[in-house]
């Protein structure tokens, strides 16, 4: 399955929750979920709906996480397989791996307003990882790694926007950010309780275990 290229707001309506796919717009009155809460193609809320099966609920939870992080199905399956091989809870491992993606860390540092924008910034080669150009969004960031803007990219309009974005954004405790230099660092690996809020890892494990 390829990457979804349609209207992002339809994904939020499909899973019934805000996935923060459009940055600041998701916090405003323009958010589509605030205007129309039912899923695309469904009748208004006062009409009777078919009951969703347990499998359907697990599927929706899996899709909610996949859409939120902007990961294609094949990549998501691969990440889940890696999570099953790691010691500890598979669901927790899954979220930790997703959080360690370079595009996600770029977003968490405030270098972009959304994960989709962060993925584009990484792909276009604007981000350096430990002083080297890294244009692979799925690259996993490790403890001690340094993330910063390429020097030439600091003269672009997207860099100026990123500076403004980073000024008003607090970063997770497992990251540090020097706003003046627009340089971030992974202080340690994220812990499960710091990244799983709003998602049900157990439902995803049950979905793939069916």
């Amino acid at each position: 399955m390829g990457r979804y290229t349609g209207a992002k707001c339809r994904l939020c309506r499909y899973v019934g929750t805000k996935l923060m796919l459009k940055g600041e717009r998701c916090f405003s009155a323009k958010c589509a979920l605030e205007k129309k809460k039912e899923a695309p193609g469904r009748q208004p809320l006062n009409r009777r709906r078919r009951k969703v099966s347990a499998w359907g609920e697990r599927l929706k939870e899996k899709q909610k996480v996949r859409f939120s992080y902007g990961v294609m199905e094949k990549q998501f399956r691969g990440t889940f397989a890696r999570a099953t091989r790691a010691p500890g809870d598979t669901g927790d491992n899954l979220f930790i791996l997703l959080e360690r993606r370079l595009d996600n860390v770029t977003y968490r540092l405030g270098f972009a307003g959304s994960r989709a924008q962060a993925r584009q910034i990484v792909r276009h080669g604007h981000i350096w990882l430990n002083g080297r150009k890294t244009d692979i969004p799925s690259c996993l960031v490790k403890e001690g790694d340094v993330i910063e803007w390429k020097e030439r990219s600091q003269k672009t309009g997207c860099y100026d926007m990123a500076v403004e974005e980073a000024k008003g954004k607090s970063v997770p405790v497992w990251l540090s950010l020097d706003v003046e230099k627009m340089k971030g660092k992974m202080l340690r690996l994220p812990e499960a309780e710091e990244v799983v809020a709003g998602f049900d890892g157990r439902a995803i494990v049950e979905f793939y275990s069916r």
Side-chain angles (χ1 to χ4, degrees):
M1 182 184 292
R3 192 178 304 281
Y4 177 78
T5 58
K8 291 182 173 61
C9 294
R10 289 177 64 88
L11 299 180
C12 296
R13 288 174 55 205
Y14 166 69
V15 298
T17 189
K18 292 186 181 185
L19 301 177
M20 314 311 295
L21 301 178
K22 303 191 81 171
E24 291 298 321
R25 183 186 178 95
C26 299
F27 294 102
S28 71
K30 295 180 180 180
C31 173
L33 198 62
E34 297 291 341
K35 298 177 181 179
K36 199 171 184 181
K37 295 187 180 296
E38 64 267 16
R42 287 187 176 175
Q43 297 296 328
L45 293 174
N46 58 349
R47 300 283 185 87
R48 187 166 58 182
R49 295 180 181 176
R50 293 175 58 185
K51 185 177 179 180
V52 180
S53 66
W55 181 87
E57 292 292 348
R58 293 170 192 147
L59 170 63
K60 183 177 289 188
E61 188 64 27
K62 187 264 293 184
Q63 297 292 65
K64 182 168 72 172
V65 175
R66 191 170 72 80
F67 294 156
S68 182
Y69 283 92
V71 181
M72 292 185 290
E73 179 63 33
K74 185 176 180 180
Q75 274 188 320
F76 195 83
R77 281 180 175 272
T79 305
F80 180 83
R82 182 168 183 168
T84 60
R85 295 192 296 268
D89 182 83
T90 298
D92 291 347
N93 292 339
L94 173 66
F95 290 112
I96 291 171
L97 288 171
L98 290 171
E99 283 291 318
R100 289 178 55 199
R101 286 173 55 99
L102 180 57
D103 55 358
N104 179 75
V105 174
T106 299
Y107 163 68
R108 292 294 193 193
L109 288 170
F111 291 177
S114 66
R115 288 187 179 95
Q117 186 182 36
R119 186 163 52 251
Q120 186 178 46
I121 289 171
V122 172
R123 278 182 172 165
H124 288 179
H126 294 304
I127 298 298
W128 274 359
L129 180 63
N130 297 324
R132 307 180 101 181
K133 173 185 169 183
T134 307
D135 56 4
I136 303 174
S138 61
C139 174
L140 293 181
V141 182
K142 303 186 296 294
E143 182 177 341
D145 283 355
V146 175
I147 304 93
E148 60 188 318
W149 281 76
K150 187 173 68 174
E151 187 174 351
R152 287 180 59 186
S153 298
Q154 295 178 18
K155 300 175 182 178
T156 63
C158 60
Y159 175 79
D160 295 334
M161 292 175 61
V163 171
E164 293 303 314
E165 183 75 28
K167 285 180 180 178
K169 188 165 185 175
S170 59
V171 301
V173 295
W174 43 277
L175 296 173
S176 67
L177 172 66
D178 184 333
V179 180
E180 295 299 321
K181 296 181 179 179
M182 287 295 281
K183 180 183 291 188
K185 183 177 182 179
M186 180 176 279
L187 302 174
R188 58 172 174 79
L189 296 182
E191 297 178 3
E193 57 268 21
E194 296 169 335
V195 300
V196 299
F199 298 124
D200 185 356
R202 181 177 297 179
I204 299 172
V205 173
E206 291 174 351
F207 173 82
Y208 282 116
S209 301
R210 69 188 190 282

